[in-house]
Amino acid sequence: MVADILSDAFLAAVAGTGFGAVSRPPRRAFPFIALLSGVGHALRFCLMTLLGVDLATASFFAALFIGLGSLVFGGKIHCPMTVLYIPALLPMIPGMYAYRSIFALVMLMQQFNDPVLAAQYLERMLMNATVTVSVVFLLSLGATLPTFLFPRRAYSLTRKRPSGN
Amino acid sequence: MKSEEVKEIAAFIAEYAACLLGSGVHTSRVIRNSGRIGESLGVEIRMTTLHKTFVLTVSEETNGHSFTRVVDIPAFGVNFDFNASLSSLSWEAFDGRLPLETIRFRYGQILSRGLLSPWVVLGMVSLANAAFCKLFAGDWVAAGVVGLATAIGFFIRLEMQRRHINHFITFTLSAFVSSLCASLCLWLGHTPEIALATSVLYLIPGVPLVNGVIDIVEGHTLTGFSRLIQAVLLVICIACGLSCSLLLVKNSLL
């Protein structure tokens, strides 16, 4: 079990850092992106396998954790929250559901003349698309929430001098 | 303050805000950063942002000078380094009361900074997508094939972007080629579906998607929706590319 969690965290860290590289973050941000992606994804894995939480709720709380983490680390390395949390969220994109809804759409077009099969594919497409959209929305919402909870800190992460000087 | 000075500040803020909006920074941050620099220079900044242009008014109280500009937003591609460094610059200007020449000089320094080599990015993205495939419980063969498929697809994307070929065509073609390469897994390994599903995920426009949601919840609904619509169009392009591959191999998948 522990090995599963660790490998989950490691793979997510690699995925988060690599996807983050496309967005050209400052070099000092990479270790923290890796840390947040790894721990965030492992947290979702634990919530789902150990506590039996559903995918959408688990994603929301993992994203909330990543958002809070980016608030803490962002102040340390003077990076806006989005620089750290957007790459860290990417490994949590529900790719299999997205794929299944596209596959169902392709098959629906092939089976248009068979109402029974077509209805099945339509149902599968809608179900998977709903999961995909909900999870993606909850992911971005969860990570953004800390901005509204701690606006003062969130808005001055890139300030190098402590206020009052 | 002289009218010329206000004009110069307006020219700089126009460039600064355009650079931020063009490199994937959400609206409220751009407005805050620009306003902060304006405040440190003694002028008031008001902005209205749209997707391709923004309207900027710089005004000054004592003599009542004010300038309004409609500025085009360039398409730089997402750059988090600009986001972090230019935000820092606005605080430095604010805390240190820097004169405009100094701010402009630092701004130039940040913009001329070297980027991560595209080949390094290509390697990292391929590795990332292979790890992603493992994360979805794909086998090692699938992970290897996905890594390779990503490298080929990303190379095509880089080449097409360098030639300024239309974004939508670039994304569709990259997704098609990547998923076609990944369909090799139908004959190798045991998890062809996972390989096909993950092979195109490196193309997902995560930054505009999240920025769109941030803009909307912060009340910049118009900008947020335009960002989301652009991102969703790219996702549809990815889906089209993937669908083309699926049409070719669907009989082996059923």
PDB file of all heavy atoms in Angstrom, chain B residues 3-21:
ATOM      1  N   SER B   3       2.680  66.812 -19.313  1.00  0.00           N
ATOM      2  CA  SER B   3       1.885  65.945 -20.178  1.00  0.00           C
ATOM      3  C   SER B   3       2.759  64.866 -20.830  1.00  0.00           C
ATOM      4  O   SER B   3       2.351  63.721 -21.011  1.00  0.00           O
ATOM      5  CB  SER B   3       1.191  66.817 -21.220  1.00  0.00           C
ATOM      6  OG  SER B   3       1.144  66.187 -22.454  1.00  0.00           O
ATOM      7  N   GLU B   4       4.030  65.258 -21.181  1.00  0.00           N
ATOM      8  CA  GLU B   4       4.933  64.291 -21.811  1.00  0.00           C
ATOM      9  C   GLU B   4       5.223  63.098 -20.906  1.00  0.00           C
ATOM     10  O   GLU B   4       5.282  61.961 -21.350  1.00  0.00           O
ATOM     11  CB  GLU B   4       6.254  64.986 -22.183  1.00  0.00           C
ATOM     12  CG  GLU B   4       6.215  65.747 -23.483  1.00  0.00           C
ATOM     13  CD  GLU B   4       5.783  64.878 -24.648  1.00  0.00           C
ATOM     14  OE1 GLU B   4       6.417  63.832 -24.858  1.00  0.00           O
ATOM     15  OE2 GLU B   4       4.798  65.229 -25.326  1.00  0.00           O
ATOM     16  N   GLU B   5       5.404  63.411 -19.611  1.00  0.00           N
ATOM     17  CA  GLU B   5       5.709  62.344 -18.649  1.00  0.00           C
ATOM     18  C   GLU B   5       4.561  61.349 -18.555  1.00  0.00           C
ATOM     19  O   GLU B   5       4.773  60.134 -18.578  1.00  0.00           O
ATOM     20  CB  GLU B   5       5.966  62.943 -17.261  1.00  0.00           C
ATOM     21  CG  GLU B   5       7.311  63.610 -17.107  1.00  0.00           C
ATOM     22  CD  GLU B   5       7.440  64.247 -15.733  1.00  0.00           C
ATOM     23  OE1 GLU B   5       7.580  63.489 -14.756  1.00  0.00           O
ATOM     24  OE2 GLU B   5       7.363  65.490 -15.642  1.00  0.00           O
ATOM     25  N   VAL B   6       3.344  61.896 -18.456  1.00  0.00           N
ATOM     26  CA  VAL B   6       2.169  61.014 -18.359  1.00  0.00           C
ATOM     27  C   VAL B   6       2.080  60.141 -19.607  1.00  0.00           C
ATOM     28  O   VAL B   6       1.793  58.949 -19.550  1.00  0.00           O
ATOM     29  CB  VAL B   6       0.881  61.842 -18.178  1.00  0.00           C
ATOM     30  CG1 VAL B   6      -0.305  60.920 -17.984  1.00  0.00           C
ATOM     31  CG2 VAL B   6       1.001  62.780 -17.005  1.00  0.00           C
ATOM     32  N   LYS B   7       2.386  60.758 -20.759  1.00  0.00           N
ATOM     33  CA  LYS B   7       2.335  60.025 -22.016  1.00  0.00           C
ATOM     34  C   LYS B   7       3.330  58.867 -22.012  1.00  0.00           C
ATOM     35  O   LYS B   7       3.027  57.760 -22.453  1.00  0.00           O
ATOM     36  CB  LYS B   7       2.660  60.992 -23.157  1.00  0.00           C
ATOM     37  CG  LYS B   7       2.203  60.531 -24.515  1.00  0.00           C
ATOM     38  CD  LYS B   7       2.424  61.655 -25.512  1.00  0.00           C
ATOM     39  CE  LYS B   7       2.099  61.221 -26.911  1.00  0.00           C
ATOM     40  NZ  LYS B   7       2.337  62.285 -27.873  1.00  0.00           N
ATOM     41  N   GLU B   8       4.539  59.148 -21.485  1.00  0.00           N
ATOM     42  CA  GLU B   8       5.556  58.094 -21.434  1.00  0.00           C
ATOM     43  C   GLU B   8       5.142  56.961 -20.521  1.00  0.00           C
ATOM     44  O   GLU B   8       5.342  55.779 -20.827  1.00  0.00           O
ATOM     45  CB  GLU B   8       6.885  58.681 -20.942  1.00  0.00           C
ATOM     46  CG  GLU B   8       7.878  58.883 -22.054  1.00  0.00           C
ATOM     47  CD  GLU B   8       9.156  59.479 -21.528  1.00  0.00           C
ATOM     48  OE1 GLU B   8       9.767  58.856 -20.643  1.00  0.00           O
ATOM     49  OE2 GLU B   8       9.514  60.578 -21.991  1.00  0.00           O
ATOM     50  N   ILE B   9       4.576  57.333 -19.350  1.00  0.00           N
ATOM     51  CA  ILE B   9       4.101  56.299 -18.421  1.00  0.00           C
ATOM     52  C   ILE B   9       3.036  55.454 -19.098  1.00  0.00           C
ATOM     53  O   ILE B   9       3.059  54.221 -19.037  1.00  0.00           O
ATOM     54  CB  ILE B   9       3.543  56.942 -17.129  1.00  0.00           C
ATOM     55  CG1 ILE B   9       4.673  57.644 -16.367  1.00  0.00           C
ATOM     56  CG2 ILE B   9       2.898  55.885 -16.243  1.00  0.00           C
ATOM     57  CD1 ILE B   9       4.200  58.423 -15.152  1.00  0.00           C
ATOM     58  N   ALA B  10       2.121  56.125 -19.809  1.00  0.00           N
ATOM     59  CA  ALA B  10       1.050  55.392 -20.490  1.00  0.00           C
ATOM     60  C   ALA B  10       1.635  54.409 -21.500  1.00  0.00           C
ATOM     61  O   ALA B  10       1.192  53.261 -21.591  1.00  0.00           O
ATOM     62  CB  ALA B  10       0.106  56.362 -21.187  1.00  0.00           C
ATOM     63  N   ALA B  11       2.676  54.860 -22.234  1.00  0.00           N
ATOM     64  CA  ALA B  11       3.286  53.978 -23.227  1.00  0.00           C
ATOM     65  C   ALA B  11       3.897  52.756 -22.553  1.00  0.00           C
ATOM     66  O   ALA B  11       3.756  51.624 -23.038  1.00  0.00           O
ATOM     67  CB  ALA B  11       4.349  54.739 -24.014  1.00  0.00           C
ATOM     68  N   PHE B  12       4.558  52.985 -21.415  1.00  0.00           N
ATOM     69  CA  PHE B  12       5.194  51.850 -20.738  1.00  0.00           C
ATOM     70  C   PHE B  12       4.157  50.886 -20.182  1.00  0.00           C
ATOM     71  O   PHE B  12       4.251  49.668 -20.369  1.00  0.00           O
ATOM     72  CB  PHE B  12       6.115  52.319 -19.609  1.00  0.00           C
ATOM     73  CG  PHE B  12       6.641  51.167 -18.804  1.00  0.00           C
ATOM     74  CD1 PHE B  12       7.592  50.307 -19.339  1.00  0.00           C
ATOM     75  CD2 PHE B  12       6.153  50.904 -17.533  1.00  0.00           C
ATOM     76  CE1 PHE B  12       8.056  49.214 -18.622  1.00  0.00           C
ATOM     77  CE2 PHE B  12       6.613  49.819 -16.807  1.00  0.00           C
ATOM     78  CZ  PHE B  12       7.565  48.976 -17.355  1.00  0.00           C
ATOM     79  N   ILE B  13       3.140  51.434 -19.481  1.00  0.00           N
ATOM     80  CA  ILE B  13       2.125  50.555 -18.877  1.00  0.00           C
ATOM     81  C   ILE B  13       1.409  49.748 -19.961  1.00  0.00           C
ATOM     82  O   ILE B  13       1.101  48.570 -19.783  1.00  0.00           O
ATOM     83  CB  ILE B  13       1.099  51.378 -18.068  1.00  0.00           C
ATOM     84  CG1 ILE B  13       1.781  52.085 -16.888  1.00  0.00           C
ATOM     85  CG2 ILE B  13      -0.028  50.507 -17.559  1.00  0.00           C
ATOM     86  CD1 ILE B  13       2.166  51.199 -15.751  1.00  0.00           C
ATOM     87  N   ALA B  14       1.179  50.381 -21.131  1.00  0.00           N
ATOM     88  CA  ALA B  14       0.531  49.663 -22.236  1.00  0.00           C
ATOM     89  C   ALA B  14       1.354  48.439 -22.628  1.00  0.00           C
ATOM     90  O   ALA B  14       0.830  47.339 -22.790  1.00  0.00           O
ATOM     91  CB  ALA B  14       0.363  50.595 -23.429  1.00  0.00           C
ATOM     92  N   GLU B  15       2.684  48.644 -22.733  1.00  0.00           N
ATOM     93  CA  GLU B  15       3.564  47.550 -23.127  1.00  0.00           C
ATOM     94  C   GLU B  15       3.599  46.470 -22.056  1.00  0.00           C
ATOM     95  O   GLU B  15       3.505  45.269 -22.344  1.00  0.00           O
ATOM     96  CB  GLU B  15       4.970  48.133 -23.335  1.00  0.00           C
ATOM     97  CG  GLU B  15       5.794  47.408 -24.357  1.00  0.00           C
ATOM     98  CD  GLU B  15       7.202  47.987 -24.399  1.00  0.00           C
ATOM     99  OE1 GLU B  15       7.325  49.230 -24.336  1.00  0.00           O
ATOM    100  OE2 GLU B  15       8.148  47.195 -24.474  1.00  0.00           O
ATOM    101  N   TYR B  16       3.712  46.926 -20.803  1.00  0.00           N
ATOM    102  CA  TYR B  16       3.824  46.014 -19.666  1.00  0.00           C
ATOM    103  C   TYR B  16       2.579  45.140 -19.544  1.00  0.00           C
ATOM    104  O   TYR B  16       2.663  43.904 -19.460  1.00  0.00           O
ATOM    105  CB  TYR B  16       4.030  46.853 -18.406  1.00  0.00           C
ATOM    106  CG  TYR B  16       4.035  46.104 -17.096  1.00  0.00           C
ATOM    107  CD1 TYR B  16       5.212  45.528 -16.609  1.00  0.00           C
ATOM    108  CD2 TYR B  16       2.876  45.996 -16.336  1.00  0.00           C
ATOM    109  CE1 TYR B  16       5.216  44.856 -15.407  1.00  0.00           C
ATOM    110  CE2 TYR B  16       2.874  45.326 -15.128  1.00  0.00           C
ATOM    111  CZ  TYR B  16       4.049  44.759 -14.656  1.00  0.00           C
ATOM    112  OH  TYR B  16       4.046  44.089 -13.468  1.00  0.00           O
ATOM    113  N   ALA B  17       1.406  45.773 -19.563  1.00  0.00           N
ATOM    114  CA  ALA B  17       0.162  45.025 -19.392  1.00  0.00           C
ATOM    115  C   ALA B  17      -0.087  44.106 -20.581  1.00  0.00           C
ATOM    116  O   ALA B  17      -0.564  42.979 -20.422  1.00  0.00           O
ATOM    117  CB  ALA B  17      -1.013  45.985 -19.203  1.00  0.00           C
ATOM    118  N   ALA B  18       0.270  44.567 -21.798  1.00  0.00           N
ATOM    119  CA  ALA B  18       0.091  43.727 -22.975  1.00  0.00           C
ATOM    120  C   ALA B  18       0.951  42.475 -22.861  1.00  0.00           C
ATOM    121  O   ALA B  18       0.513  41.371 -23.200  1.00  0.00           O
ATOM    122  CB  ALA B  18       0.454  44.505 -24.235  1.00  0.00           C
ATOM    123  N   CYS B  19       2.179  42.650 -22.359  1.00  0.00           N
ATOM    124  CA  CYS B  19       3.077  41.507 -22.210  1.00  0.00           C
ATOM    125  C   CYS B  19       2.499  40.497 -21.212  1.00  0.00           C
ATOM    126  O   CYS B  19       2.494  39.295 -21.448  1.00  0.00           O
ATOM    127  CB  CYS B  19       4.444  41.989 -21.759  1.00  0.00           C
ATOM    128  SG  CYS B  19       5.588  40.660 -21.418  1.00  0.00           S
ATOM    129  N   LEU B  20       1.977  41.007 -20.087  1.00  0.00           N
ATOM    130  CA  LEU B  20       1.397  40.101 -19.088  1.00  0.00           C
ATOM    131  C   LEU B  20       0.185  39.369 -19.654  1.00  0.00           C
ATOM    132  O   LEU B  20       0.076  38.145 -19.545  1.00  0.00           O
ATOM    133  CB  LEU B  20       0.980  40.886 -17.839  1.00  0.00           C
ATOM    134  CG  LEU B  20       2.082  41.245 -16.841  1.00  0.00           C
ATOM    135  CD1 LEU B  20       1.491  42.034 -15.691  1.00  0.00           C
ATOM    136  CD2 LEU B  20       2.765  39.999 -16.298  1.00  0.00           C
ATOM    137  N   LEU B  21      -0.743  40.139 -20.271  1.00  0.00           N
ATOM    138  CA  LEU B  21      -1.961  39.503 -20.800  1.00  0.00           C
ATOM    139  C   LEU B  21      -1.629  38.507 -21.903  1.00  0.00           C
ATOM    140  O   LEU B  21      -2.280  37.488 -22.051  1.00  0.00           O
ATOM    141  CB  LEU B  21      -2.929  40.569 -21.320  1.00  0.00           C
ATOM    142  CG  LEU B  21      -3.677  41.346 -20.241  1.00  0.00           C
ATOM    143  CD1 LEU B  21      -4.364  42.559 -20.835  1.00  0.00           C
ATOM    144  CD2 LEU B  21      -4.695  40.461 -19.540  1.00  0.00           C
TER     145      LEU B  21
END
